[in-house]
């Protein structure tokens, strides 16, 4: 059995992008705007007929761009984003330099992390410190759990099925708890030079072991100096403590309520082992080492006295396809489209394989409550049938792809009726190189890893490199969580 030959019972499917119904490839909003603009053109033309010579070509170009696609998005949205980014870059809006500023700016991280602050709390269930990231704008709190790296590639089929079912139960628990706003699972892979492997083997080596075994182990350490990697997985859960029946009275009670909600999520049986709740020192290490990978293996003492703002970059430049920061330059990609066919549960394995450059892979979730999920699927079924019907009226029959899309929407609705959950989710990947000259090689390595998944389509986070970079860190920001 090869890495891509897995039992049918371990194949997953049901991925589908939301699609609104519109005319000529436009979405619903674009179609309504087109109707309003054309109506306005007609009203103006009743007074100034010559205005149509200008208004109609301009309107046609704009809505042609809105209907065209570029990198999986509307061409109009793509070029508008690029124009906005160039305008911001002209006024240095994409550059960050940390300066000594008066309160409150001196305590802020840059960009989307500016509204977050770090709280050192005490977890009464474990009697250990825990770090809580507080969003001062929304009141949401994010708690991170450190996980132990592991895998299920060599596990029995029954064990993997049990893990998938248990994870589905965790998502189900999120959908029925209105205090949980979103979650994200991140795996950070930092390549090592082999020293860590040699040190670990030296400590574990039994002096009384046979000489042949010692020679084999020493040869293994010597011949694989660049095959080691540090794997750091964690799960961040964003909670609204004020959404309870009895809202907390102060900040201390809000932290306690957030810890209670996160403790209610049972990850046992999901195929991962919980190491512990992340402390404030752990969060400082994760955030600071993301911006400066050279400090990843520093001692905890070096992070204890860091302020939350000091965990961010000293200087950063948000480019169109790259993000330059302390100690490196990164490129971030986001999900464009999932395969329309069943895929193996191990489809992300090529992205998780160690490479020459540090890589972070994040899956961000927002589980819809049962009523919202049912309403979403009903709209999707209606939109799918309307698109097929409109094409049939123009061309005599609907496209096969439109019929298949309607069938997928109906299958999803049937699964929800049987107890499944609707999940908004996205995939984000960031590769970090230590030098700007290495960025093309890091981008090529990432592109090869994405291609090796055999079906997942991703694209660069054009004009949003800094935001996607921050969304993969436990700082309380998620693009899926609604304020």
């Amino acid at each position: 059995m090869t890495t891509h030959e897995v039992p049918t019972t371990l194949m997953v499917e049901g991925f589908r992008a939301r699609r609104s119904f519109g005319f000529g490839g436009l979405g619903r909003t674009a179609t309504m705007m087109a109707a309003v603009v054309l109506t306005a053109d007609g009203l103006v033309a009743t007074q100034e007929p010559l205005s149509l010579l200008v208004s109609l070509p301009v309107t046609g170009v704009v809505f042609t761009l809105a209907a065209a696609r570029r990198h999986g998005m509307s061409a109009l949205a793509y070029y508008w984003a690029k124009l906005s980014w160039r305008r911001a870059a002209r006024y240095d809006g994409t550059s960050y330099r940390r300066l000594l500023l008066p309160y409150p700016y001196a305590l802020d991280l840059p960009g989307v992390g500016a509204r977050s602050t770090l709280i050192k709390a005490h977890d009464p269930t474990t009697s250990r410190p825990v770090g809580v990231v507080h969003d001062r704008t929304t009141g949401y709190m994010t708690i991170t759990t450190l996980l132990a790296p592991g895998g299920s590639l060599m596990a029995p089929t029954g064990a993997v099925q049990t893990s998938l079912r248990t994870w589905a139960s965790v998502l189900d628990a999120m959908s029925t708890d209105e205090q949980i706003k979103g979650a994200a699972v991140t795996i950070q892979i930092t390549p090592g030079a082999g020293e860590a492997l040699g040190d670990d083997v030296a400590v574990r080596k039994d002096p009384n072991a046979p000489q042949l075994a010692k020679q084999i182990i020493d040869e293994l350490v010597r011949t694989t100096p660049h095959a080691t990697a540090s794997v750091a997985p964690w799960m961040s859960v964003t909670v609204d403590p004020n959404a309870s029946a009895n809202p907390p009275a102060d900040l201390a009670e809000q932290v306690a309520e957030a810890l209670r909600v996160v403790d209610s999520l049972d990850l046992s049986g999901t195929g991962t082992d919980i190491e512990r709740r992340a402390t404030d020192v752990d969060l400082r290490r994760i955030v600071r080492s993301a911006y400066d990978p050279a400090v990843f293996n520093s001692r905890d003492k070096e992070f204890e006295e860091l302020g939350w703002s000091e965990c961010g970059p000293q200087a950063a430049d948000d480019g169109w396809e790259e993000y330059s920061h302390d100690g490196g330059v990164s490129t971030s990609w986001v999900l464009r489209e999932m395969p329309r066919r069943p895929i193996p549960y191990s489809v992300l394995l090529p992205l998780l394989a160690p490479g020459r450059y540090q890589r972070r892979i994040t899956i961000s979730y927002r589980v819809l409550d049962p009523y919202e999920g049912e309403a979403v699927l009903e709209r999707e079924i209606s939109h799918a049938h309307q698109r097929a019907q409109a094409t049939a009226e123009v061309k005599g029959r609907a496209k096969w792809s439109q019929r298949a899309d309607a069938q997928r929407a109906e299958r999803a609705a049937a699964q929800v009726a049987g107890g499944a959950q609707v999940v908004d989710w996205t995939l984000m990947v960031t590769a970090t190189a230590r030098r700007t000259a290495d960025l093309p090689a890091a981008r090529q390595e990432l592109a090869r890893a994405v291609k090796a998944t055999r079906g997942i389509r991703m694209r660069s986070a054009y004009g949003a490199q800094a935001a996607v970079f921050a969304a993969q860190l436990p700082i309380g920001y998620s693009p899926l969580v609604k304020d």
Side-chain angles (χ1 to χ4, degrees), residues 133-202:
V133 177
H134 180 220
D135 190 318
R136 293 170 293 184
T137 302
T138 62
Y140 295 168
M141 294 188 173
T142 301
I143 297 175
T144 301
T145 303
L146 302 183
L147 307 175
S152 57
L153 291 179
M154 300 183 67
T157 300
V160 178
Q161 288 178 315
T162 301
S163 298
L164 293 176
R165 286 194 296 266
T166 305
W167 181 247
S169 300
V170 173
L171 295 179
D172 181 69
M174 291 183 186
S175 70
T176 55
D177 193 335
E178 61 182 11
Q179 290 184 271
I180 298 179
K181 298 302 179 181
V185 177
T186 301
I187 299 179
Q188 179 173 284
I189 303 168
T190 304
E195 291 86 353
L197 176 62
D199 294 343
D200 186 63
V201 171

Side-chain angles (χ1 to χ4, degrees), residues 189 347-353 359 361 427 429 446 449-450 453 458:
I189 303 168
V347 67
L348 295 180
L349 186 60
L351 288 173
L352 301 175
R359 190 182 303 164
I361 302 94
L427 175 66
V429 182
L446 179 57
V450 173
T453 60
M458 303 189 71

Side-chain angles (χ1 to χ4, degrees), residues 201-230:
V201 171
V203 173
R204 295 170 178 265
K205 188 186 299 183
D206 187 353
N208 300 321
Q211 187 63 28
L212 178 60
K214 293 181 181 179
Q215 294 176 355
I216 293 176
I217 291 297
D218 292 341
E219 182 69 13
L220 178 64
V221 172
R222 186 186 66 82
T223 56
T224 58
H226 299 285
T228 61
S230 174

